[in-house]
Amino acid sequence: MKRLSINTPVVIGILVAFVAVNLIAAKLYHKPQETMETYAVGNRQMPWFFVCFTYMAGWYVGSTYTGWVGNSVDIGLFPQYEMVYSIGSLLFMYLFARPVWSWGKHYNLETPSDFMGVRYNSPAFQKFYSVFMLIVDGAWLIIEIITLAYIINVSTNGAVSMTAGVWISGIVVGLYTTIGGVNATAITSVIQGFSFVVVGSILFIYIAYKAYGGFVPLYEMISLHKPELLYLPKESGLQQMWIVSVITGTLGSYCWPTTFQRLYLSSSPRETKKTLYIAPICAVIVVFLILVPAMGVSLMDDAPADSQIAEFFIANKYSGAVGLGLVGCFAGAAAMGSISATANCISVPFAKDILTMIWKKTPVVKLAKWTTAAVFLFSMIIASVDIPQLNFFALILYDFVCMCIIPLVGGVFWKRGNSIGAWVSMGIGCICALLQNLTDIFASTSMGGTLIGMILSAIAYIACGFIFGKQSHIDEMFDVLKKYDNDGNYYPDKDMEIVK
């Protein structure tokens, strides 16, 4: 890979300082993690600002600066679907906030698996969901650790090897996540989010004007020399793929435990909904400022052969070692946030639902910490090994996780949704996900196997609802929702559909 000509000590100094700030903040704001209520959901007392950035950590990942930037250089407009589906996912957050928060508070739910178990009155489905998410999201955790190592390697001009980057990043993030739980994830996400939203936006605007004279001249240059980057050609299939990606990204966003669990963290549904104050702006501005300048890199005579380092290349070229170090911090911040959130959200349910069956006398919070540490260790070991098919495997698992949307949405909004429907819809969806990636059976369709799988899963779920009917505990669960208002107050003798 072509290396960047940089002042390596300056870049390393900036990266070390950024990591130090995160560790200091995690230490200063550390709270004793003696109960699962604290470790998993922060006592349900987080302000909306914290919830917002922990939520963003679920969809704003390190690969935004690498893989998606590379796609911007090579195929232009396509990866900007990220800003569209990110905004779409916020609609789900708004709709889910009150019912999920209310059930979480009333039934002491701490994980998405808890929700599945209580909603479908099925401990078996709850355990399955915990294992399922450990495998599915665990693969993406490994990918993000590799991405963070790649960011460090590129930023330091190869001074830090990929293997060293894996272990350094894994140990640093694993340390504060294991010890501090979701509170540490939240405080570091705020620092990381502020860095790439505020400081990052200023830097990328500066780079755009320095490199191209601004965004309008950039679009004019692209339109003149590479107009194919500014549209999605229907004949190549990119147009259909873009639409499908937006739909599956929007619907699948709340399947990830990193986003669903955030609905439990605030002091009320209203606090969660306040995320809409800044999250949509961040989704549009941040993604736009990262991906659009990257489209112009392919017009440069000295453009790097590896398009994934385009963001680092233009930062170094037009703002020197300081700019490169900052971009390394922004990209690293995105990766650190998603790594921390993912590890916490897959470790806690596995400890609660699986390991407690083996170590029955061990406090659950201790098991959760051990599980988090073990997840990081195994992830770092796997990330240190060159596995050519790892990305392909992770993409298959992404299609799997999208199939969870039917029992999630159906469980929240439809009383007739039952445990049989949950099992059947998941089974059909996962079969379609396998067929999508291992065969050509869906090659002739414009929707793709993932979207078809969602549709077939929904049909099966609805059919089971009418055939087997609602479960006996459902009326009581939905009555609970009428007793909570948007401020999280519980009125056992009043109906909140009437008393607002």
Side-chain angles (χ1 to χ4, degrees), residues 22 61 66 71 77 131 138 171 182 247 267 288 334 338 340-341 367 378 387 425 461 463 473 482 484:
N22 279 270
V61 295
T66 56
N71 286 334
L77 184 66
V131 176
I171 290 172
V182 75
I247 295 173
S267 59
F288 176 86
S338 58
S340 180
L367 286 176
F378 282 113
I387 304 177
S425 65
Y461 184 87
H473 69 294
K482 299 176 183 179
Y484 281 92

Side-chain angles (χ1 to χ4, degrees), residues 457-484:
S457 294
I459 293 173
Y461 184 87
I462 293 170
C464 288
F466 284 109
I467 293 171
F468 300 104
K470 64 183 178 181
Q471 294 174 269
S472 58
H473 69 294
I474 292 302
D475 284 336
E476 179 185 340
M477 277 196 73
F478 276 80
D479 283 341
V480 165
L481 299 183
K482 299 176 183 179
K483 310 302 180 184
Y484 281 92

Side-chain angles (χ1 to χ4, degrees), residues 133-183:
M133 283 303 173
L134 179 72
I135 296 172
V136 172
D137 222 2
W140 284 94
L141 173 63
I142 296 168
I143 295 292
E144 274 299 284
I145 290 176
I146 294 173
T147 300
L148 182 52
Y150 178 81
I151 290 167
I152 296 171
N153 176 261
V154 172
S155 299
T156 61
N157 201 29
V160 179
S161 68
M162 284 290 295
T163 301
V166 165
W167 286 93
I168 292 171
S169 59
I171 290 172
V172 168
V173 182
L175 184 66
Y176 69 72
T177 304
T178 300
I179 295 174
V182 75
N183 279 309

Side-chain angles (χ1 to χ4, degrees), residues 57 137-138 140-141 144 257-258 262 337-347:
D137 222 2
W140 284 94
L141 173 63
E144 274 299 284
T258 46
R262 271 49 196 157
S338 58
I339 289 169
S340 180
T342 300
N344 177 265
C345 289
I346 63 177
S347 300

